[in-house]
Amino acid sequence: MFPQQRRRRLMALAAAGTILALTAACSGGSDDPADTSSEGGSDTPSGSISVLTWRTDLVEDGTFDKYVEEFKAKYPDVTEVKVEGVTDYEGTVKTRMNTDDYGDVLAIPGSVTPDQLGDFFEPLGDQAEMAKEYRWINDKSFEGKSYGIPVVGNVQGILYNKRVWEEAGVTEFPTTPQEFLDDLQKIKDAGVAKVAPLYTNYKDSWALSQWEGWRGAVTANPDYVNDMTQTDTPWTDTSDSGVIDGTIYDVVANGLTEADPTTTDWEGSKRLIGIGDIATMVLGSWAIPQMQAAAEAAGADPADIAYMPTPAQVDGKFHTVAGGDYNLGINVHSKNKVTARAWIDWFNHDSGYSESQVGLSPLVDGPVPDALSGFMENVELITMNPAPEGQESLFADIDTASGIVTTDPKYRVQIIDDARSGNRTKQEIFDDLNSKWAEGRADVG
């Protein structure tokens, strides 16, 4: 990144109350992979480490206790693995990263930009070499070094209640956004989903960011995000961004979502789709086990929870973007990096986490879970290409400078508000987003 661009982005982050950039300026990162020294200076995993996780549910139900027990059995010199479940993971960990005290192993928060990785995390190895063993490491790599390994791979598309769709007479995947709308209308007309054909999770809002997972799948373009940095008009009727946000607008404007989005409830939605009162939600495949569990707890059939691809085809084929979930990284200030690295490798190879989450293994030669085998037979996987060297932060720079911040659900909340009220047409929204994006590109230079 050019120094001038870096300063602009840091100023923007600071204005938004983000503390990471301020901390980065005084953190001491290492450019050398794996400064591997354990507490006693040994290369053998030993001593104690602390692990931060966003999976508070797995801490509470004892799953992590089993993980720790198995890890210590493999490495008997390890005396303690302290696992800390963190609620509001992104916000809490971001604040803790203003100090050195953010665990030895932790999931890298999404707000850490590529150029900040080395300020907070230990490099795990050369990206090209690690890519021979692990998939989806591009996101947490910078200038040829990898700083994180995903715990599981997700595919992106649509989670739905198969029974409800079939009772409405829909048995084939929609191949276009219009067919998707038509199918939702059939579900509404059949009255088989009491709450909504499609549930937005508007109130909790973060779920609206899940629609970003369609980027690349609509046009089967693994460079779509990189291409966005080269145009002033990424929102058109046929572009990925236009199809995504246009579909959100259309489902709301056509009354195919919940009656009052301000009352949506994420936790409650799990049960509602499990029993079939909600037909559809746009979520990554990571959500499958949660909805299946909710269905079973409610006395419904967990096999009703199924997954379909983004409603768009190129050359008669569906495509889906596959990528890593949270990446585990090592605190650059850790005093026990040997054991921290051993935990990461053990977690991905031996814990069985990815299989238990109905996700794809981060290992190149990992298995496909049974619950996704049918879906996988109908799609071609896309792994989004990394940004060209020297432009790793360009998208984030433009995104921030534009004020849109595509990872922030606020702009899609506004789209839903406009679709409900009719204050702006879809085209007026596209024009506004394109204007802001062009300003962001001009500002970044």
Side-chain angles (χ1 to χ4, degrees):
M1 177 192 302
F2 295 115
Q4 184 180 4
Q5 295 171 328
R6 182 191 295 267
R7 283 195 298 274
R8 263 202 300 268
R9 191 165 59 76
L10 290 175
M11 291 173 65
L13 288 171
T18 302
I19 63 168
L20 286 177
L22 299 177
T23 310
C26 57
S27 297
S30 167
D31 291 331
D32 297 326
D35 176 13
T36 52
S37 54
S38 66
E39 287 180 332
S42 169
D43 291 336
T44 301
S46 63
S48 64
I49 58 170
S50 61
V51 176
L52 306 186
T53 180
W54 72 104
R55 293 302 305 266
T56 56
D57 55 330
L58 299 186
V59 175
E60 293 169 357
D61 71 10
T63 299
F64 264 97
D65 290 337
K66 297 177 182 175
Y67 290 157
V68 170
E69 183 180 349
E70 294 173 10
F71 179 70
K72 291 173 68 176
K74 181 171 183 177
Y75 299 108
D77 292 337
V78 175
T79 57
E80 182 182 22
V81 178
K82 181 182 179 181
V83 179
E84 182 181 350
V86 181
T87 55
D88 182 23
Y89 186 87
E90 287 283 331
T92 300
V93 173
K94 190 166 67 176
T95 300
R96 288 180 60 170
M97 288 173 64
N98 208 28
T99 72
D100 294 350
D101 180 22
Y102 48 97
D104 294 290
V105 177
L106 69 156
I108 300 176
S111 55
V112 178
T113 55
D115 59 321
Q116 292 176 320
L117 288 167
D119 294 318
F120 297 99
F121 296 96
E122 190 72 10
L124 302 179
D126 290 333
Q127 182 180 356
E129 189 64 27
M130 289 185 62
K132 297 176 182 176
E133 182 177 7
Y134 292 107
R135 299 187 283 190
W136 310 305
I137 59 173
N138 290 341
D139 289 348
K140 302 307 176 188
S141 297
F142 185 66
E143 294 183 339
K145 303 293 183 185
S146 291
Y147 295 85
I149 300 173
V151 293
V152 64
N154 295 317
V155 289
Q156 306 298 324
I158 302 167
L159 190 145
Y160 71 110
N161 187 303
K162 183 170 60 177
R163 174 183 60 78
V164 170
W165 277 63
E166 289 177 349
E167 287 181 2
V170 184
T171 57
E172 301 290 336
F173 293 154
T175 61
T176 67
Q178 185 57 54
E179 284 187 14
F180 183 54
L181 294 172
D182 293 343
D183 290 344
L184 293 176
Q185 186 65 54
K186 290 176 184 175
I187 293 168
K188 180 179 181 179
D189 293 344
V192 288
K194 296 178 181 177
V195 173
L198 186 144
Y199 199 71
T200 66
N201 273 302
Y202 172 99
K203 181 172 177 291
D204 294 281
S205 76
W206 63 265
L208 294 171
S209 298
Q210 293 287 295
W211 291 73
E212 287 299 291
W214 290 15
R215 286 192 312 200
V218 174
T219 54
N221 179 8
D223 281 309
Y224 178 74
V225 174
N226 294 329
D227 290 348
M228 285 182 72
T229 67
Q230 306 301 313
T231 178
D232 284 340
T233 57
W235 278 269
T236 71
D237 288 338
T238 57
S239 70
D240 293 50
S241 298
V243 168
I244 294 167
D245 290 323
T247 301
I248 293 174
Y249 185 96
D250 288 338
V251 294
V252 175
N254 284 282
L256 300 173
T257 53
E258 64 278 341
D260 182 1
T262 63
T263 61
T264 61
D265 170 35
W266 163 245
E267 290 299 329
S269 73
K270 300 177 184 177
R271 175 181 176 277
L272 292 175
I273 196 168
I275 64 175
D277 283 354
I278 292 171
T280 318
M281 290 196 281
V282 174
L283 296 168
S285 61
W286 58 266
I288 294 174
Q290 294 189 38
M291 305 308 172
Q292 289 177 331
E296 187 170 15
D301 186 353
D304 288 342
I305 301 301
Y307 208 67
M308 72 170 72
T310 300
Q313 290 189 324
V314 175
D315 297 330
K317 298 177 181 176
F318 291 111
H319 298 79
T320 187
V321 173
D325 200 288
Y326 266 124
N327 283 237
L328 296 185
I330 298 174
N331 181 346
V332 73
H333 305 289
S334 170
K335 305 300 183 186
N336 196 352
K337 292 169 184 169
V338 165
T339 308
R341 179 57 188 270
W343 173 267
I344 292 175
D345 290 336
W346 175 85
F347 199 84
N348 283 323
H349 282 269
D350 301 324
S351 71
Y353 178 83
S354 63
E355 295 90 332
S356 70
Q357 299 305 304
V358 198
L360 301 177
S361 170
L363 302 174
V364 170
D365 56 356
V368 174
D370 291 340
L372 282 178
S373 58
F375 170 83
M376 297 292 286
E377 291 171 0
N378 286 281
V379 299
E380 289 190 359
L381 291 184
I382 292 176
T383 298
M384 300 300 282
N385 289 331
E389 187 173 352
Q391 297 183 6
E392 289 87 348
S393 295
L394 180 57
F395 179 88
D397 292 341
I398 295 172
D399 201 27
T400 301
S402 73
I404 298 172
V405 190
T406 53
T407 54
D408 189 319
K410 290 179 182 177
Y411 93 92
R412 291 207 169 100
V413 167
Q414 185 61 54
I415 289 174
I416 291 176
D417 289 343
D418 287 336
R420 292 184 70 208
S421 66
N423 282 343
R424 292 194 299 172
T425 66
K426 189 164 57 177
Q427 188 58 54
E428 287 173 332
I429 293 171
F430 285 3
D431 291 344
D432 179 49
L433 291 170
N434 285 330
S435 176
K436 291 176 178 176
W437 190 260
E439 291 175 5
R441 290 187 71 230
D443 186 42
V444 170

